[in-house]
Amino acid sequence: MYMAYGWPQVIPLEQGLCPSAQKIVYLKVINRTLLVVSPTHFELWSTSQHRVRLGKYKRDSDSLQREGENLQAVWSPDAKLIAILTSAFFLHIFKVQLSDKRIHTGGKQPSALCLATISLLLTEQVPFTAKDLSVSNIVSDNKHMLLGLSDGTLYSMSWKGEFYGAFQFYPQPTASFDNSQMPLTLENGLSPKSHPKVLMSNHIIPRTSEINQLELCLPLRFLFVLYSDGELVSCSVSKKGLKQVDCIKAEKRLACGDAVCASVALEQQILAVGTKRGIVELYDLAESVSLIRAVSLYDWGYSMDDTGPVSFIAWTPDNSAFAVGWKLRGLTVWSVSGCRLMSTIRQIGLSSVSSPISKPNHDCKYEPLMGGTSLMQWDEYGYRLYAIEVGSSERILSFSFGKCCLSRGVSGTTYIRQVIYGEDRLLIVQSEETDELKMLHLKLPVSYISQNWPVQHVAASQDGMYLAVAGLHGLILYDIRLKRWRVFGDVTQEQKIQCKGLLWLGKIVVVCNYVDSSNTYELLFYPRYHLDQSSLLCRKPLLAKPMVMDVYQDYMLLTYRPFVVHIFHVKLFGELTPSGNPDLQLSAVRELSIMTAKSHPAAMRFIPDQLPRESISNNLVLSDSLTREPARCLILRANGELSLLDLDDGRERNLTDSVELFWVTCGQSEDKTNLIEEVSWLDYGHRGMQVWYPSPGANSFKQEDFLQLDPELEFDREVYPLGLLPNAGVVVGVSQRMSFPASAEFPCFEPSPQAQTILHCLLRHLLQVLH
């Protein structure tokens, strides 16, 4: 989950020789460096903590007159070479080298930033057979480049300046989709299950449409070819990449019919297609490129007349959200489920009858990207979204984003404490005495974050009173009650820790550490009262990098690729105090190796056995049984499938799909005022919230949609859930708000916490059980 905060920042760009005709032709981020190419020059900027221009290359007037302006560009995957194609079809290849000159940014020590040296390696005219061609964007691998031409051919060349000529590409696949089987419109977040796309034979028709865009995804061996008439064809490429152009084969023709841009999410295996109607359609690449859902601003009162067609789509690095820019106005960030997380366009609420743009609005001058969005790029961590306005060559707008501690990967989370973390701060939801939710901005100590930017992992203790935060190196702890930070006293110890995951084991913080010198991983156990090598409770070497980790009371779960599950029992000897001389030991209690063709797990959580509240209060159960090893765990896979794994026999039971996040609620709190103890877990996806209860019989858990219990609790397209307040029976979410100060050019983005009670749904369920 991504949420914008603060004011957009401006990165100024140099003006070229002909400012009136300027527009940005290429924007790309690799290795903490931003490349921006204009028709007459290009610049390299740092995207790290300090935004500094690292280098530039300006072409002279003779070169521009002889070889034409920069038309298309591509950056090699290793960031060492830049290829630029000019309007007169000259290919320029530049070499980028980082010098030894470090940039001083005002601190005591020189920063890690180095100036870039840019040199022109070669200039060759591309031997196109026709002179009146137009070209698409350029895609590349490490050795070869490919671009589409207006005559429908694909042209191949190498990073050494070798030209292999045009390849006559036949875009007629053996099967295509029938448009007549699809509904004309789809609501945000709804999956068109009742309108399946039908494969049908495709007649060979001579194609004269020009190629407008290429979208390459080498790990999945996909190449998508977009034509000027809106047709989009998916193709397969060779294992050797773009070297064998003749191996590119058309596979399917998508039924959108009015596509104008496309972007692939590798981790989710989703293709996002922007259309002339201003709608974005999501396709599942793992399921025969079938349509998942469509998102648009129609429900907020904006039509295609207001925004124009989609101009650009950019996925976040973790593929959990995507930014959509429109040709005429603004940009919006959506979650995969269809929740609108951020928008630069002024909103007047859902289901507006008339279009807001038709009404007089004096605040529109403060709206970012009012003239439309031409290009966008996320930084490598997802903390910044860089955007360029249509027709602008003077500046880049940079939007700051915070991420939510979702139940993913190797960092633990608690639903009791809701935290959004940015590159140098935490945004913490606080519940006031007036029952009003507020967002607290907590900046990390400068002494830590200046050396270890950015924030990479955040984990809250089970009671929500402590936060563990890790940057590039080391970690720090925050006591929410006392409002104090705890750091390593020895900086050399801090720099030896490269945290790849965080967990809380009661009052102990567990760090998954990467050891650079030996290329290995280990677990470090520190007491929360002291961060120092002398207080280290245990050091546990690991077999490999863990995919996911979880902890429940005295048990810890680690999972390695491809799918090997290890469960350890943690035993503490001595009192956990500075004078108690504590010691910690791990003993392996279970190991499972599971063979499956499913996608890899994104999260796994223990499911403790749920015991009746009466048996606990009446001491009918031995205390040892209350902390016995959990026999089941939940698995959330990267494709959204949620399943239940029996740790005794390794059997896996599919539960549901299209899940974005979930919270295990049973056995997590000993508080007698916990109102959701009867609930096993909750999950969230495009259907909204779903609640799961223990059930007798073979299927030990059953599910109910909140929507079935209360029509008002349908999928909220503006509020994204962050966690729960179990003592109040409330789901805490966050939505975007904007303030418009009179002195500022742009509005300030303000994440706003929202509370939604679910208590009446839980009570209704309990009444049904009693009857």
Side-chain angles (χ1 to χ4, degrees):
M1 190 284 298
Y2 290 76
M3 190 63 60
Y5 68 89
W7 282 274
Q9 296 182 0
V10 173
I11 299 177
L13 300 176
E14 282 200 12
Q15 289 302 291
L17 299 176
C18 305
S20 59
Q22 291 284 295
K23 69 170 185 175
I24 305 301
V25 299
Y26 188 73
L27 192 69
K28 184 71 174 179
V29 175
I30 300 179
N31 295 342
R32 294 194 185 185
T33 306
L34 173 69
L35 169 64
V36 52
V37 181
S38 75
T40 61
H41 75 288
F42 62 87
E43 303 179 26
L44 291 169
W45 285 79
S46 163
T47 61
S48 61
Q49 188 176 12
H50 305 284
R51 272 98 193 159
V52 181
R53 187 170 62 195
L54 304 178
K56 64 179 179 179
Y57 188 95
K58 299 186 73 171
R59 295 175 56 199
D60 56 39
S61 57
D62 291 340
S63 171
L64 292 170
Q65 188 173 6
R66 182 176 63 255
E67 298 164 356
E69 296 182 343
N70 300 334
L71 183 63
Q72 295 289 350
V74 67
W75 204 358
S76 64
D78 59 8
K80 294 180 179 179
L81 299 174
I82 300 171
I84 294 178
L85 183 67
T86 69
S87 56
F89 300 141
F90 279 84
L91 178 67
H92 295 175
I93 296 183
F94 299 88
K95 184 178 183 179
V96 179
Q97 281 183 309
L98 295 179
S99 67
D100 296 331
K101 297 180 181 179
R102 295 192 176 272
I103 299 175
H104 287 264
T105 55
K108 294 181 181 179
Q109 300 293 330
S111 68
L113 301 176
C114 297
L115 293 175
T117 302
I118 304 168
S119 55
L120 179 62
L121 291 183
L122 65 88
T123 299
E124 294 285 347
Q125 187 164 19
V126 184
F128 291 140
T129 55
K131 299 300 180 184
D132 56 347
L133 292 171
S134 61
V135 297
S136 74
N137 63 307
I138 307 173
V139 295
S140 75
D141 56 21
N142 285 318
K143 294 184 178 180
H144 298 84
M145 294 177 279
L146 192 70
L147 70 157
L149 304 181
S150 54
D151 60 3
T153 60
L154 297 173
Y155 197 91
S156 176
M157 47 195 177
S158 77
W159 281 103
K160 296 180 180 179
E162 301 166 325
F163 304 110
Y164 301 116
F167 169 69
Q168 188 62 50
F169 174 68
Y170 295 98
Q172 281 72 32
T174 56
S176 64
F177 289 126
D178 181 9
N179 281 342
S180 63
Q181 299 295 323
M182 288 302 302
L184 295 178
T185 59
L186 290 168
E187 292 186 41
N188 285 324
L190 292 186
S191 180
K193 300 286 188 184
S194 58
H195 300 275
K197 292 193 170 184
V198 178
L199 290 174
M200 57 181 294
S201 62
N202 190 20
H203 300 288
I204 301 297
I205 302 173
R207 173 172 289 283
T208 58
S209 296
E210 61 185 74
I211 298 176
N212 275 4
Q213 183 195 347
L214 300 178
E215 176 71 8
L216 178 66
C217 184
L218 277 179
L220 299 179
R221 295 175 56 195
F222 269 119
L223 175 68
F224 294 91
V225 182
L226 176 62
Y227 291 90
S228 58
D229 60 1
E231 292 290 343
L232 183 61
V233 177
S234 70
C235 311
S236 60
V237 297
S238 166
K239 293 181 180 179
K240 297 182 179 180
L242 299 177
K243 180 179 180 180
Q244 298 175 324
V245 187
D246 55 341
C247 291
I248 297 175
K249 304 295 183 184
E251 299 291 341
K252 292 183 177 66
R253 177 170 57 87
L254 276 71
C256 41
D258 62 345
V260 290
C261 61
S263 181
V264 174
L266 173 61
E267 290 296 322
Q268 298 275 1
Q269 296 194 26
I270 293 176
L271 172 69
V273 179
T275 67
K276 294 179 181 177
R277 294 163 286 144
I279 296 174
V280 176
E281 298 177 348
L282 302 181
Y283 293 85
D284 189 346
L285 297 180
E287 295 292 336
S288 303
V289 200
S290 57
L291 181 63
I292 304 172
R293 68 184 59 90
V295 297
S296 73
L297 288 179
Y298 286 1
D299 290 328
W300 284 268
Y302 289 92
S303 67
M304 194 266 290
D305 296 332
D306 305 315
T307 63
V310 177
S311 60
F312 204 88
I313 300 173
W315 285 91
T316 57
D318 63 0
N319 294 170
S320 66
F322 56 96
V324 179
W326 285 276
K327 188 175 182 179
L328 299 183
R329 184 180 180 186
L331 69 84
T332 295
V333 178
W334 307 88
S335 72
V336 174
S337 297
C339 181
R340 194 206 64 179
L341 304 175
M342 172 268 191
S343 181
T344 63
I345 302 174
R346 293 290 304 274
Q347 303 299 328
I348 61 172
L350 287 169
S351 303
S352 304
V353 177
S354 59
S355 174
I357 201 171
S358 64
K359 300 179 180 180
N361 190 345
H362 302 292
D363 289 326
C364 277
K365 63 179 180 179
Y366 298 115
E367 188 177 296
L369 304 167
M370 188 65 190
T373 305
S374 61
L375 295 170
M376 295 182 296
Q377 273 283 298
W378 292 91
D379 74 359
E380 291 171 89
Y381 302 101
Y383 289 129
R384 294 272 176 170
L385 175 62
Y386 300 100
I388 295 178
E389 193 166 6
V390 171
S392 171
S393 63
E394 304 166 356
R395 62 187 186 180
I396 301 172
L397 294 186
S398 173
F399 297 89
S400 298
F401 280 81
K403 298 188 283 188
C404 174
C405 306
L406 298 180
S407 52
R408 296 278 176 127
V410 291
S411 286
T413 183
T414 175
Y415 56 80
I416 297 175
R417 176 64 62 185
Q418 299 86 41
V419 181
I420 297 173
Y421 57 99
E423 59 185 357
D424 62 354
R425 71 191 65 201
L426 305 179
L427 282 69
I428 305 173
V429 177
Q430 288 192 317
S431 178
E432 302 294 332
E433 294 180 358
T434 58
D435 293 334
E436 181 183 0
L437 298 177
K438 292 185 177 180
M439 191 72 76
L440 170 68
H441 283 246
L442 180 65
K443 296 203 71 172
L444 270 65
V446 175
S447 59
Y448 176 79
I449 197 63
S450 61
Q451 301 298 318
N452 300 294
W453 182 96
V455 174
Q456 295 191 334
H457 299 277
V458 178
S461 60
Q462 188 173 356
D463 60 4
M465 289 295 103
Y466 280 83
L467 297 175
V469 184
L472 193 63
H473 294 95
L475 75 148
I476 55 176
L477 306 180
Y478 184 70
D479 187 329
I480 293 179
R481 188 182 291 109
L482 299 179
K483 299 181 180 180
R484 291 180 181 175
W485 291 99
R486 179 165 287 122
V487 301
F488 273 91
D490 189 342
V491 178
T492 58
Q493 293 184 24
E494 177 184 88
Q495 293 302 304
K496 291 179 180 179
I497 295 177
Q498 294 187 50
C499 179
K500 301 302 179 183
L502 283 173
L503 287 174
W504 282 93
L505 184 69
K507 298 179 181 180
I508 301 170
V509 60
V510 185
V511 182
C512 178
N513 181 42
Y514 171 65
V515 184
D516 201 1
S517 58
S518 59
N519 191 27
T520 58
Y521 293 85
E522 62 183 5
L523 293 181
L524 305 177
F525 295 78
Y526 289 98
R528 74 183 185 191
Y529 59 76
H530 195 206
L531 292 179
D532 191 84
Q533 184 69 28
S534 62
S535 299
L536 183 65
L537 300 173
C538 180
R539 183 189 300 268
K540 170 67 176 176
L542 299 180
L543 300 177
K545 180 181 180 180
M547 281 194 299
V548 294
M549 299 194 312
D550 187 36
V551 64
Y552 175 71
Q553 294 182 350
D554 297 338
Y555 292 92
M556 178 175 291
L557 177 147
L558 284 89
T559 302
Y560 305 103
R561 289 183 182 272
F563 198 169
V564 179
V565 181
H566 287 210
I567 298 176
F568 298 93
H569 181 253
V570 183
K571 192 167 185 178
L572 182 67
F573 298 90
E575 188 178 354
L576 193 62
T577 61
S579 60
N581 194 23
D583 184 35
L584 187 143
Q585 292 182 2
L586 270 74
S587 56
V589 296
R590 196 184 299 267
E591 179 179 339
L592 288 85
S593 183
I594 301 173
M595 302 296 292
T596 177
K598 297 182 178 180
S599 62
H600 62 267
M604 296 178 67
R605 294 287 179 264
F606 281 123
I607 300 295
D609 292 332
Q610 284 176 274
L611 299 170
R613 192 184 297 266
E614 296 78 13
S615 65
I616 299 175
S617 60
N618 295 333
N619 296 320
L620 296 179
V621 184
L622 295 176
S623 59
D624 288 343
S625 66
L626 294 178
T627 60
R628 65 173 178 259
E629 177 190 346
R632 291 167 293 194
C633 72
L634 275 180
I635 302 175
L636 176 62
R637 299 186 182 276
N639 61 357
E641 291 182 0
L642 189 67
S643 58
L644 186 68
L645 176 65
D646 190 312
L647 296 173
D648 289 327
D649 56 20
R651 285 186 301 145
E652 187 176 347
R653 172 190 158 200
N654 291 331
L655 298 174
T656 184
D657 58 6
S658 300
V659 173
E660 209 165 309
L661 61 95
F662 68 95
W663 305 291
V664 175
T665 53
C666 60
Q668 302 296 312
S669 174
E670 298 177 359
D671 194 339
K672 293 183 178 180
T673 61
N674 184 1
L675 300 176
I676 59 172
E677 180 63 27
E678 303 296 333
V679 175
S680 301
W681 67 85
L682 298 99
D683 68 55
Y684 170 80
H686 73 87
R687 308 176 188 91
M689 299 288 294
Q690 295 183 125
V691 60
W692 294 77
Y693 299 96
S695 174
N699 296 329
S700 51
F701 296 95
K702 69 176 182 178
Q703 160 229 332
E704 290 182 1
D705 291 354
F706 280 152
L707 179 59
Q708 297 172 351
L709 298 174
D710 188 344
E712 294 182 2
L713 291 178
E714 64 176 341
F715 177 81
D716 195 318
R717 296 192 289 275
E718 288 186 322
V719 180
Y720 195 95
L722 294 181
L724 308 168
L725 296 179
N727 296 343
V730 164
V731 175
V732 178
V734 64
S735 64
Q736 174 193 282
R737 294 290 181 268
M738 288 192 292
S739 61
F740 293 83
S743 59
E745 179 185 4
F746 297 124
C748 179
F749 292 88
E750 301 173 348
S752 175
Q754 309 286 329
Q756 173 69 66
T757 179
I758 58 172
L759 186 58
H760 56 299
C761 293
L762 304 178
L763 292 175
R764 192 173 304 173
H765 166 79
L766 293 176
L767 290 174
Q768 292 174 357
V769 172
L770 293 175
H771 288 291

